[in-house]
Each structure stands twice: as structure tokens, then as C-alpha cells.
């Protein structure tokens, strides 16, 4: 099994499906002491509610310990190199869960340390979000094959990048409705296209959100201005609004599609208040599933699945 989870592409299709089976089990049996004596460092350069809480609570439910580190209160703020910080952290902790500005910093962490490194969001990807999202879709539709998704908004978004890589492994189809200049990262799109040829997925970049949502099962959006892009706020809002906002009228055009958002949402910006509150919205199921899928990920990375199963069989 792999040491690090930096990109959704670090796991193969089969591994993802196996991880979802383990997630089913963890939903049924959430508590164990399988992580007893295991210490996780959560290192966050950006704010977080769901990711931080779901990792902290999930690790505690499995008997592990968590310590939190941020940039402002650590020596990183006074110029200590990231390399020296990581080489110190690995002397104390078994794994690091890191939310960073640059994907390159995650790669550096993985390269120079023996501890497991988990991407808790970077500029490029949010692979833990994609795990929870695809698992949630599987729960709702009982299948993944030929599920059609429309992502409306920022095509260069980190959440979309991981989702795109995940769905094209699994034979799902995705329409991306985004303005010119906001398409997915070129390397990620190429990789997704290669995967799509094998799995039978379709990827379409469509400028018109109304066309993009036609006959899909899921309408997905994320913020127009991600963390770290604050300086571009005015430019971005001008590009995206009002055309790319998910309104009830747009959702209606998709027929009976469900609505997804990784949260936090800027209500009234990329999505209307009423859409989040609509019966078709499954945003809090997504948020809940972060907890369960990440616990499965940790057990896989630390090679503790068998131990968990053994402990659970004793509980049964
Ligand atoms: N979806 C997500 O990662 O949320 P947080 O920023 O609250 O962690
Ligand atoms: N694209 C958003 C996701 C937040 C969970 C951001 O990076 O800010």
C-alpha cells in the first residue's frame, strides 16, 4: 500500500472501491482502539472546519491522538525552513495531515520524511474531498457507472481537479461549465482524458451552464474565489457572475438532479441560499462522509485494515 496520499491519482480504481467497502464498515462500527499509540500532526496553513474536525474526530474515534500545528504560531512564521520543520515533526508523529498553499510543499514533505503525508487541500487538489464526494454519490445512486455530473463555476478549482481525476477512473461522465480562461489545469485534464479512454468516461467543457446541466444526476459547484486567490476577487466575480451561479431555476433545468458543494458555500454568490436548503441538496451528507472515508484512508495508509477487522469481529 502507498505511503502518502497527495493526489486522488495516488490510488487506483480498485483501491478506491475497496476503500469505499471499508468505509461502509466504518460507518457501521465507528469506534475502535486500532490507532492506539499513533500520533497524527495536523498542519494547516489555511482555515478549515470540516477537514480539521473530521480528521481530529475520526482519529480519536479510532483511538489515536492528534496535535495541531499552524504556520502563524510555529517557527515557520519566523523563517524556519519547511524541510527542518518536517524533519522535526517526523521524530514525534506517525503521520502528517497537511493543508498547504502549494502542492509542491506536500511533495517535499513526502520525499524527505518517512511518515505518511495526507493532502488536506492544496492549490491543486483536494483528494480527501473527492473520496467523500464519490462515496456519497455511490450511496445515493447505488452505482457509479454512467453517472453524469455537471460542475458549474471555476474549472481550475482544486476540488474539481480531484473530482475530475476520480470520476474518470470510474466510468462516470462530467460536464464542466466554466468561463474561458478558467479551464482545468492542463496536466490534470490530460491525465483525466487518458483515464477516460480506458474507463469509458466522457469529459465535456461547455460554456453554457444550462446546456451543461441537461440530463445530469448531479450539479456540483464550489466557490469562485478559493483560499489564496483573494487578490483576484473582483476579476473573478466579474467573470463568473451572474452566469455561473447555481440557482433553483438552473437546478430545475437538470430535472431531478441532486446538488453538491464541498462547503463552505458563499450563499448568494456561486449558489443561491434556496439551493443549499433545497430537498435536492446533499451537502451535509458529503460533509459527514468526509469523516468516514478519511478513517478508511488512514487505516489503508497505515496498513491497519486487517487489525481493525479483527477488532470489529470481536465486537460483533
Ligand atoms: N470542504 C472542506 O474542505 O471544508 P473546510 O475548508 O471547512 O475544511
Ligand atoms: N476551492 C476551495 C475549497 C475549500 C474547501 C478553496 O480552496 O478555498
Amino acid at each position: 500500500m502507498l505511503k502518502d496520499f497527495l493526489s486522488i491519482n495516488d490510488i487506483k480504481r480498485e483501491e478506491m472501491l475497496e476503500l469505499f467497502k471499508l468505509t461502509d464498515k466504518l460507518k457501521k462500527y465507528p469506534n475502535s482502539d486500532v490507532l492506539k499509540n499513533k500520533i497524527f500532526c495536523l498542519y494547516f496553513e489555511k482555515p478549515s472546519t470540516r477537514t480539521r474536525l473530521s480528521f481530529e474526530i475520526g482519529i480519536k474515534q479510532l483511538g489515536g491522538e492528534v496535535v495541531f500545528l499552524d504556520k502563524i504560531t510555529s517557527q515557520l512564521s519566523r523563517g524556519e525552513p519547511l524541510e527542518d520543520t518536517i524533519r522535526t515533526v517526523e521524530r514525534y508523529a506517525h503521520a502528517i495531515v497537511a493543508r498547504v498553499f502549494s502542492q509542491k510543499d506536500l511533495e517535499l514533505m513526502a520525499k524527505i520524511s518517512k511518515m505518511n503525508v495526507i493532502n488536506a487541500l492544496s492549490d491543486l487538489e483536494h483528494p480527501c474531498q473527492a473520496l467523500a464526494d464519490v462515496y456519497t454519490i455511490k450511496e445515493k445512486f447505488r452505482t457509479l457507472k454512467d453517472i453524469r455530473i455537471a460542475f458549474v463555476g471555476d474549472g481550475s478549482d482544486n476540488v474539481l481537479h480531484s473530482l475530475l481525476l476520480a470520476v474518470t477512473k470510474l466510468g462516470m461522465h462530467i460536464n464542466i461549465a466554466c468561463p474561458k480562461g478558467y479551464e482545468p489545469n492542463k496536466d490534470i485534464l490530460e491525465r483525466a482524458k487518458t483515464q477516460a479512454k480506458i474507463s469509458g468516461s466522457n469529459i465535456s467543457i461547455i460554456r453554457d451552464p444550462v446546456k451543461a446541466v441537461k440530463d445530469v444526476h448531479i450539479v456540483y459547484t464550489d466557490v469562485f474565489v478559493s483560499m489564496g486567490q483573494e487578490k483576484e476577487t473582483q476579476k473573478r466575480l466579474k467573470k463568473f457572475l451572474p452566469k455561473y451561479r447555481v440557482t433553483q431555476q438552473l437546478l430545475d433545468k437538470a430535472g431531478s438532479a441532486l446538488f453538491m458543494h464541498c462547503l463552505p458555500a458563499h450563499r448568494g454568490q456561486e449558489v443561491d441560499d434556496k439551493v443549499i436548503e433545497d430537498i435536492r441538496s446533499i451537502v451535509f451528507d458529503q460533509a459527514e462522509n468526509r469523516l468516514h472515508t478519511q478513517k478508511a484512508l488512514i487505516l489503508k495508509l497505515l496498513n491497519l485494515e486487517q487489525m481493525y477487522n479483527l477488532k470489529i469481529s470481536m465486537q460483533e
Side-chain angles (χ1 to χ4, degrees):
M1 187 64 195
L2 73 163
K3 173 174 101 63
D4 308 304
F5 186 63
L6 309 187
S7 161
I8 196 78
N9 261 1
D10 287 340
I11 55 172
K12 299 188 190 80
R13 176 186 179 278
E14 292 70 28
E15 287 171 329
M16 205 186 306
L17 296 175
E18 271 175 31
L19 190 143
F20 291 157
K21 275 194 197 144
L22 180 57
T23 304
D24 289 338
K25 205 154 194 184
L26 281 154
K27 273 189 103 156
K28 205 165 162 196
Y29 303 102
N31 300 306
S32 166
D33 61 0
V34 68
L35 292 183
K36 194 168 173 223
N37 299 326
K38 295 274 189 277
I39 316 273
F40 290 74
C41 174
L42 263 57
Y43 167 64
F44 280 53
E45 294 177 356
K46 301 175 181 179
S48 169
T49 298
R50 280 143 289 271
T51 308
R52 179 176 173 178
L53 278 183
S54 54
F55 269 108
E56 286 203 16
I57 290 168
I59 289 164
K60 287 180 185 195
Q61 285 176 341
L62 293 175
E65 296 284 341
V66 179
V67 286
F68 188 79
L69 185 73
D70 66 32
K71 208 166 179 169
I72 300 163
T73 59
S74 68
Q75 295 291 7
L76 281 157
S77 66
R78 295 180 59 246
E80 182 170 21
L82 184 65
E83 287 92 325
D84 292 357
T85 307
I86 295 306
R87 285 155 69 197
T88 305
V89 171
E90 78 163 332
R91 299 291 175 111
Y92 306 141
H94 294 94
I96 185 164
V97 177
R99 170 165 285 197
V100 293
F101 282 96
S102 170
Q103 180 81 14
K104 287 203 171 67
D105 285 346
L106 291 170
E107 283 159 17
L108 177 75
M109 289 179 194
K111 193 173 153 205
I112 66 169
S113 77
K114 290 193 188 69
M115 64 184 163
N116 307 94
V117 180
I118 299 177
N119 181 354
L121 182 146
S122 73
D123 54 340
L124 199 64
E125 278 207 50
H126 197 358
C128 294
Q129 183 69 50
L131 285 182
D133 291 345
V134 176
Y135 181 81
T136 307
I137 295 171
K138 193 166 181 283
E139 269 190 334
K140 299 292 170 191
F141 293 95
R142 309 225 161 262
T143 179
L144 292 171
K145 184 93 187 112
D146 289 328
I147 292 290
R148 294 181 297 280
I149 303 175
F151 183 94
V152 179
D154 180 8
S156 63
D157 181 71
N158 45 8
V159 168
L160 170 64
H161 283 159
S162 294
L163 187 68
L164 177 60
L165 290 171
V167 302
T168 50
K169 281 181 200 292
L170 297 159
M172 300 158 81
H173 311 296
I174 184 159
N175 295 337
I176 300 166
C178 63
K180 267 211 173 91
Y182 291 87
E183 293 84 9
N185 167 286
K186 278 202 176 75
D187 292 342
I188 289 188
L189 189 58
E190 280 315 306
R191 184 79 189 255
K193 282 182 180 167
T194 307
Q195 295 184 163
K197 274 189 200 142
I198 299 164
S199 68
S201 298
N202 290 322
I203 309 166
S204 306
I205 296 185
I206 301 172
R207 301 294 168 206
D208 182 357
V210 176
K211 282 190 187 143
V213 303
K214 192 171 180 294
D215 296 329
V216 297
H217 299 92
I218 304 283
V219 175
Y220 200 125
T221 193
D222 186 14
V223 291
F224 295 147
V225 186
S226 284
M227 291 179 278
Q229 299 173 335
E230 290 78 6
K231 282 193 186 130
E232 298 171 35
T233 303
Q234 289 318 316
K235 187 177 124 200
R236 284 177 162 266
L237 294 186
K238 239 171 126 177
K239 273 276 178 198
F240 291 107
L241 287 172
K243 188 170 169 183
Y244 293 96
R245 176 187 294 146
V246 178
T247 58
Q248 265 188 330
Q249 293 92 303
L250 184 68
L251 195 56
D252 288 345
K253 296 261 193 271
S256 56
L258 300 178
F259 173 72
M260 295 180 79
H261 191 309
C262 58
L263 302 179
H266 289 70
R267 292 170 184 242
Q269 218 168 74
E270 76 277 3
V271 57
D272 273 356
D273 217 13
K274 283 185 178 158
V275 171
I276 301 256
E277 300 301 336
D278 195 284
I279 191 153
R280 292 167 287 183
S281 165
I282 55 169
V283 298
F284 295 107
D285 296 327
Q286 286 174 261
E288 181 190 327
N289 283 331
R290 295 289 306 277
L291 176 72
H292 310 298
T293 47
Q294 286 161 194
K295 286 164 78 179
L297 175 71
I298 286 171
L299 294 184
K300 292 272 187 193
L301 288 179
L302 274 65
N303 211 4
L304 287 170
E305 183 178 2
Q306 265 189 344
M307 182 67 83
Y308 168 78
N309 283 332
L310 190 72
K311 285 178 182 278
I312 289 307
S313 65
M314 292 192 301
Q315 273 182 37
E316 272 175 336

